[in-house]
Amino acid sequence: MYPFKPGHVFVRDTWYVAALSAEIDAGMIERRILDEPVLLYRTEAGDPVAMAGLCPHRRLPLAMGRRVGDAVQCAYHGITFGPDGSCLRVPSQASPGSRMRVRTYPVVERWNWVWIWTGDPAAADPALIPDHGEMGLRDGWEATPAEHYAVPARYQLLIENLQDLSHISYLHGAYVEDAAWTETPVQTMFEGGGMRSARISHDTPLSGFNAWCFPDAAPRVDQELRSVFKSPGVTYSGPIVGETPGEACNGRYLGTMFAVHAITPETPRSTHYFSTTTRDFRTGDTAFSEELHRMDIEVRMQDVVALGAIERHLSDESRLAPEISVAADTPALHVRRLVEKMIAAEQAA
Ligand code: FES
Ligand SMILES: [Fe+2]
């Protein structure tokens, strides 16, 4: 399936964001993840639980059932499962029997997100969750409230969109008109199983966006527009800006802003997109934070709309002419190969 070979769909051995912490409360929700229904809830102690969403008996969605303490009682025939997936009770027989159980998924709550491991549970190492500090989710930085978008497009379109930052000045030109972000050649580096791309520009005029972020900045800046693919589930991207050293100034560091993108396949053709934007400047500036958050939602919705429009035409790939790539596509094509290799390695295993 585009852009991969037929049959290749998801990377399973990785951590994805399943939900915002705030989405899971005392009740139960069903969410489709990697094209499977997943039940999400919290125990009375507040620990998140993720289990297969359908009752193994006659497949009624467990989210239609009710909570009995930390357990879930199916609404159809009352079979009850504990948070570890074991069957606690089958009302029509004395003992549950050993086969009656429901699959559970390893989950870890970090920052305002609940992470789920969708592969072999034995390989679910929390140390593989991308480092939050690196993305700006750390002391001394500020993050906009986490959001969740429903993207009506396959996840790889979003992963590649985030390595294809030449689109910023066009698709998001009403917000970010900085030509340096589009016209500067892009460099790519492979690191830690992922990939970093960077557009490094020197001595460019302060854009309207940067002037808004840094009102007292000198008129010329050096900047790096960075995008880091950490895993199929996480990319972060954004500018690192400083004043251009010269007669008038000594090259003062201005600040860094990272848009964090947590990407979770919903179905082969739709994606959960969780977001926040972090920064190390103007922290505590409430008016700036609120305006940034509002703008951030509008910008991300432009991507959601564009990717949905592309997806609508991918349903019959055989009738489409082959796509034509340009120089700026290099990082996106690298990341396509990376994800393709991950899927192939899992299938070979
Ligand atoms: S379908 Fe759940 S108890 Fe029968
Ligand atoms: Fe975008």
Side-chain angles (χ1 to χ4, degrees):
M1 175 172 167
Y2 172 87
F4 304 128
K5 296 189 193 82
H8 287 211
V9 181
F10 305 125
V11 176
R12 295 190 170 274
D13 284 334
T14 195
W15 290 97
Y16 292 106
V17 171
L20 307 179
S21 294
E23 291 180 295
I24 310 180
D25 54 20
M28 299 187 284
I29 63 170
E30 181 186 305
R31 173 151 295 160
R32 204 160 186 85
I33 295 174
L34 273 54
D35 215 19
E36 287 169 10
V38 177
L39 178 77
L40 298 167
Y41 69 94
R42 285 184 192 278
T43 64
E44 289 175 347
D47 298 325
V49 175
M51 63 172 66
L54 303 185
C55 179
H57 176 228
R58 287 294 178 268
R59 306 191 183 111
L60 188 76
L62 288 169
M64 294 172 66
R66 67 185 191 94
R67 294 284 305 280
V68 181
D70 287 345
V72 178
Q73 185 183 72
C74 179
Y76 205 173
H77 312 93
I79 297 178
T80 305
F81 302 93
D84 64 352
S86 63
C87 182
L88 304 179
R89 182 165 179 259
V90 178
S92 58
Q93 60 191 44
S95 137
S98 59
R99 285 174 52 238
M100 185 65 82
R101 61 174 300 117
V102 61
R103 173 190 178 189
T104 56
Y105 298 81
V107 284
V108 170
E109 191 157 22
R110 196 160 290 173
W111 191 61
N112 293 323
W113 289 328
V114 175
W115 295 81
I116 187 170
W117 177 269
T118 49
D120 175 5
D125 180 358
L128 297 174
I129 296 174
D131 177 26
H132 283 41
E134 179 187 325
M135 304 187 274
L137 294 167
R138 61 200 280 184
D139 290 346
W141 288 52
E142 188 165 325
T144 59
E147 297 288 346
H148 175 197
Y149 306 82
V151 184
R154 62 197 67 190
Y155 70 93
Q156 187 63 17
L157 296 188
L158 183 52
I159 288 180
E160 292 185 19
N161 162 283
L162 299 168
Q163 288 302 333
D164 155 31
L165 298 184
S166 70
H167 79 269
I168 290 178
S169 309
Y170 293 88
L171 188 61
H172 310 309
Y175 299 93
V176 183
E177 80 299 5
D178 196 338
W181 286 17
T182 294
E183 292 164 14
T184 307
V186 61
Q187 309 162 15
T188 56
M189 289 142 276
F190 293 91
E191 54 181 25
M195 197 196 74
R196 169 201 300 232
S197 64
R199 289 183 158 76
I200 298 171
S201 55
H202 296 287
D203 198 13
T204 57
L206 193 71
S207 66
F209 178 74
N210 278 334
W212 174 64
C213 291
F214 312 112
D216 64 346
R220 313 257 332 158
V221 293
D222 292 352
Q223 57 183 323
E224 175 184 340
L225 179 60
R226 180 180 293 183
S227 187
V228 183
F229 169 86
K230 297 295 292 179
S231 72
V234 182
T235 292
Y236 68 90
S237 57
I240 302 159
V241 189
E243 293 173 338
T244 303
E247 283 170 17
C249 75
N250 59 8
R252 180 171 60 121
Y253 170 74
L254 292 170
T256 297
M257 177 183 288
F258 287 139
V260 181
H261 320 273
I263 299 165
T264 307
E266 179 187 38
T267 70
R269 296 175 186 278
S270 62
T271 304
H272 300 289
Y273 178 23
F274 302 92
S275 74
T276 179
T277 290
T278 64
R279 67 181 197 276
D280 66 350
F281 60 92
R282 296 180 69 177
T283 56
D285 182 337
T286 308
F288 181 77
S289 297
E290 288 175 358
E291 180 63 9
L292 177 66
H293 184 215
R294 187 192 64 73
M295 195 178 106
D296 190 60
I297 291 171
E298 291 182 8
V299 167
R300 292 184 200 251
M301 280 307 298
Q302 290 178 319
D303 291 304
V304 170
V305 169
L307 299 181
I310 294 168
E311 180 65 47
R312 282 199 293 281
H313 294 281
L314 292 178
S315 55
D316 187 2
E317 289 165 44
S318 62
R319 294 194 326 185
L320 295 175
E323 63 185 2
I324 301 169
S325 297
V326 299
D329 294 317
T330 301
L333 293 173
H334 279 321
V335 98
R336 184 181 292 184
R337 296 285 90 82
L338 270 182
V339 175
E340 190 168 55
K341 275 189 201 157
M342 291 175 190
I343 294 172
E346 287 186 8
Q347 294 199 333

